[in-house]
Amino acid sequence: MKNLAQGSYSSALETVKTLKKKYGSTWNAINPKSAARMVTQNRFKTGLDIAKYTAAIMREDMAAYDADNSQYTQSLGCWHGFVAQQKMISVKKHHKTTSKRYLYLSGWMVAALRSEFGPLPDQSMHEKTAVSSLIEEIYDFLRQADAIELNDLFRRLEEGEDMQDEIDNFESHIVPIIADIDAGFGNEEATYLLAKKMIQAGACAIQIENQVSDAKQCGHQDGKVTVPHEDFIAKLNAIRYAFLELGIEDGIIVARTDSEGAGLTQKLPVSRESGDLASQYLAFVEAEEIAIENAREDDVLLKRDGKLVRPVRLSNGLYKFKDGSNINRVVLDCITSLQNGADLLWIETPTPNVKQIAHMVNRVRKVIPNAKLVYNNSPSFNWTLNFRNQAYDEMLEEGENMTAYDRNNLMDAQYDGSELCHLADQKIRTFQMDGAREAGIFHHLITLPTYHTTALHMSDLTEGYFGEEGMLAYVKGVQRQEIRKGVSCVKHQRMAGSDLGDDHKTFFAGDKALKAGGEKNTSNQFETTEVRKIELEVV
């Protein structure tokens, strides 16, 4: 994808030359080439520039998926700008393009890793501003990735290499973020205000769930309480107004329903006429038929099908939904959301099962044919066990002898090389392709990957470093791997912007600049033939 306009450098160059003539001798020290280079290295001046650019990308990708369901998109959750930066640098290195690769901002990780209160569960207890602050931080790091890579290209251009075409056709590390606003952090006005902050920071897609804001739970926890459709629609409207106010006309709203696993509601909506949304919502509420003389003082009663019924109310004041109504509630939630301004759906499920997801999506598509999902490939699922169970059922159905397997212990390592394991792993490998083809999944994401990779890598490193391996554990397991695999941060000074800063100092102070990249910079130890070759391949 070519996303840096042809001639942007030359256009900036001419602009600065014109300004120099306008301001005369007071601008003598300003070098038009240097200024044009800096302009080119910082294409996106504001978060709104980013939101406009990335919203257009998502809209194009959504249309491409509608035409061909193999054209799905993916993302990984990031809890720090550096993590997002390294992800996109790696995407460009390994896959040569950022096309159809996004970033996900998880409210769970904001709560667990970014709150001033310290680590928190995913229950909307963290500061609202932590969400928009992380979006801004991520895009700061991605801008820096652009500047560093372009700076390397300009250096090579100045050394005589023909790099102008690569500069003009440079692909930015800036990609869409799907950002989690939880249940909106309050009423619809609170949702609108936070949505504005998130959009101004650069978010082009905002995901919101239909839980009660002050009782919000992680989608994979118990105790979830949903809101009536009218309440959720008000928040969808609030987000759309925020997009429109800020000029992001094609901003994306992802409507998440937690109804599959939620059995409670806090409110009984007011029905205006039979069959309206409130009436449909009330029909899902568990109720018992009673005679008026048996009603208790201050009971809440409903008239249903000509009979008087009492909704089942728990001691905490919450109302219970009918058992087995969850799938019907999910389908109604999805249809209602798409009919009221949402662009994409998110259905939280108890397990990653393509057939179960497709069952719900196909019901939605009978009403809205182009309904599409954002799907959470969650680490809360035990993927190995789930898919070994699916493989077991499939093999059993095909008449295979399953006596070699203990159905109650399929996670056992003894099965790792078995036929069942291979079948299960193949299903995991193709899960995203299968989901995109069969279940309307436009976007696959993993919410918490870097939470787990950080813990895993620290476990591996500390085991050796504080044991017999000592420093070899770091050198063999980290630094040598960085060199061999071409990980950009092996030269961490450069990655933090040291070379970029040296060039800027030269622009500003000329020969008087005090630069960090001299002979005594220990990063020069990494200027090996192997590292240089890898850097040239990456660029």
Side-chain angles (χ1 to χ4, degrees):
M1 185 191 304
K2 296 180 179 180
N3 57 34
L4 187 62
Q6 289 277 358
S8 59
Y9 172 80
S10 57
S11 175
L13 184 63
E14 291 306 312
T15 298
V16 179
K17 285 180 178 179
T18 299
L19 287 170
K20 279 199 69 169
K21 290 179 182 178
K22 176 180 178 180
Y23 290 104
S25 60
T26 60
W27 279 41
N28 280 349
I30 301 299
N31 184 321
K33 289 184 177 180
S34 299
R37 174 169 159 180
M38 293 177 74
V39 169
T40 305
Q41 290 173 195
N42 183 22
R43 173 183 174 185
F44 301 97
K45 312 308 182 206
T46 70
L48 289 178
D49 291 338
I50 291 171
K52 289 178 183 178
Y53 168 73
T54 53
I57 290 174
M58 278 196 71
R59 291 289 179 179
E60 289 175 8
D61 288 346
M62 289 162 66
Y65 176 80
D66 286 340
D68 177 1
N69 59 28
S70 70
Q71 300 300 302
Y72 62 92
T73 58
Q74 299 167 291
S75 67
L76 294 172
C78 298
W79 54 271
H80 193 279
F82 177 72
V83 175
Q85 179 195 66
Q86 293 307 302
K87 173 195 160 183
M88 296 319 302
I89 288 173
S90 297
V91 164
K92 288 189 69 175
K93 180 180 74 175
H94 293 298
H95 304 287
K96 310 307 178 188
T97 179
T98 62
S99 177
K100 295 181 173 56
R101 279 86 176 191
Y102 303 169
L103 294 166
Y104 180 66
L105 187 153
S106 161
W108 193 101
M109 284 211 283
V110 172
L113 299 169
R114 304 284 301 199
S115 173
E116 292 184 11
F117 291 110
L120 296 170
D122 183 23
Q123 296 171 4
S124 287
M125 294 190 288
H126 56 279
E127 306 84 356
K128 298 178 186 181
T129 51
V131 182
S132 53
S133 294
L134 178 53
I135 297 169
E136 186 174 6
E137 175 184 289
I138 286 172
Y139 282 127
D140 281 345
F141 273 83
L142 295 183
R143 283 189 183 105
Q144 187 197 46
D146 280 358
I148 289 171
E149 188 175 333
L150 277 164
N151 195 62
D152 289 347
L153 291 172
F154 276 110
R155 281 187 168 192
R156 292 170 61 186
L157 182 69
E158 290 177 352
E159 292 169 0
E161 294 186 59
D162 183 10
M163 307 305 301
Q164 194 60 58
D165 186 62
E166 288 191 46
I167 291 170
D168 289 339
N169 293 293
F170 177 79
E171 183 178 41
S172 175
H173 297 83
I174 300 290
V175 296
I177 285 180
I178 298 176
D180 185 1
I181 200 171
D182 281 15
F185 285 91
N187 61 25
E188 54 268 35
E189 173 69 2
T191 301
Y192 153 76
L193 292 172
L194 179 54
K196 278 182 63 176
K197 285 289 186 185
M198 294 168 68
I199 298 162
Q200 287 168 333
C204 72
I206 294 177
Q207 167 222 327
I208 185 166
E209 61 208 51
N210 69 336
Q211 292 191 45
V212 174
S213 186
D214 60 359
K216 180 260 190 305
Q217 298 275 23
C218 171
H220 294 279
Q221 293 179 329
D222 201 358
K224 294 182 289 295
V225 185
T226 63
V227 298
H229 294 96
E230 294 87 346
D231 291 23
F232 191 58
I233 290 169
K235 292 190 175 183
L236 297 180
N237 291 339
I239 296 171
R240 182 62 66 201
Y241 273 107
F243 273 125
L244 291 173
E245 178 183 338
L246 295 172
I248 313 300
E249 297 174 2
D250 50 358
I252 291 96
I253 300 175
V254 182
R256 169 176 144 182
T257 173
D258 283 281
S259 289
E260 198 285 335
L264 303 169
T265 185
Q266 191 177 58
K267 291 172 64 175
L268 298 178
V270 177
S271 176
R272 305 293 181 185
E273 57 184 62
S274 179
D276 62 12
L277 269 179
S279 176
Q280 293 178 69
Y281 191 81
L282 289 168
F284 292 125
V285 175
E286 181 72 39
E288 54 189 357
E289 184 178 349
I290 71 164
I292 188 63
E293 59 269 19
N294 295 327
R296 296 187 293 265
E297 194 72 18
D298 299 323
D299 253 349
V300 174
L301 306 176
L302 296 173
K303 179 182 177 183
R304 179 181 289 174
D305 299 326
K307 301 174 182 177
L308 192 65
V309 298
R310 177 169 55 204
V312 174
R313 195 175 191 184
L314 307 183
S315 57
N316 56 16
L318 299 174
Y319 296 93
K320 183 179 180 296
F321 286 117
K322 295 176 183 176
D323 291 340
S325 67
N326 55 338
I327 302 303
N328 289 334
R329 285 185 280 123
V330 166
V331 172
L332 182 60
D333 291 345
C334 290
I335 292 171
T336 302
S337 294
L338 291 175
Q339 289 176 333
N340 288 274
D343 302 290
L344 295 168
L345 300 171
W346 174 313
I347 300 174
E348 282 288 3
T349 64
T351 61
N353 187 303
V354 171
K355 291 181 180 178
Q356 291 174 3
I357 302 164
H359 171 70
M360 292 181 279
V361 173
N362 288 336
R363 287 182 60 187
V364 175
R365 283 185 157 183
K366 288 180 180 179
V367 180
I368 303 172
N370 69 338
K372 292 180 284 297
L373 281 189
V374 171
Y375 187 73
N376 177 9
N377 292 221
S378 176
S380 293
F381 302 140
N382 185 331
W383 286 77
T384 301
L385 183 58
N386 271 293
F387 279 86
R388 286 186 181 183
N389 277 319
Q390 291 179 37
Y392 186 98
D393 290 338
E394 187 174 302
M395 292 168 69
L396 190 66
E397 188 175 333
E398 291 175 357
E400 295 197 32
N401 184 349
M402 304 302 290
T403 56
Y405 302 102
D406 178 359
R407 182 63 188 264
N408 297 316
N409 195 29
L410 292 180
M411 272 298 296
D412 197 303
Q414 67 174 308
Y415 300 129
D416 285 358
S418 67
E419 179 187 356
L420 181 143
C421 167
H422 291 311
L423 177 58
D425 284 357
Q426 176 65 6
K427 287 179 175 294
I428 294 170
R429 188 185 71 80
T430 63
F431 174 79
Q432 295 190 344
M433 291 182 283
D434 296 340
R437 182 182 63 254
E438 300 172 22
I441 301 176
F442 159 72
H443 185 78
H444 283 279
L445 61 89
I446 306 177
T447 44
L448 321 175
T450 50
Y451 183 88
H452 292 278
T453 55
T454 300
L456 176 62
H457 292 161
M458 288 311 300
S459 176
D460 291 343
L461 177 59
T462 56
E463 180 183 15
Y465 179 75
F466 293 106
E468 293 183 0
E469 283 191 302
M471 190 58 193
L472 180 61
Y474 174 79
V475 173
K476 185 174 68 174
V478 180
Q479 190 179 81
R480 195 175 295 162
Q481 295 303 311
E482 289 179 307
I483 294 171
R484 298 288 186 256
K485 296 178 180 179
V487 176
S488 56
C489 321
V490 68
K491 294 167 69 173
H492 50 259
Q493 308 284 14
R494 169 188 171 274
M495 196 70 256
S498 182
D499 291 355
L500 179 66
D502 275 359
D503 286 357
H504 288 171
K505 291 173 188 176
T506 303
F507 300 163
F508 308 152
D511 294 338
K512 297 177 182 178
L514 183 63
K515 297 189 287 186
E519 292 182 5
K520 295 184 179 181
N521 188 321
T522 57
S523 288
N524 295 332
Q525 296 171 31
F526 296 96
E527 288 291 344
T528 64
T529 302
E530 181 178 6
V531 171
R532 182 59 179 158
K533 180 175 180 290
I534 290 168
E535 286 180 350
L536 293 176
E537 288 175 351
V538 171
V539 173

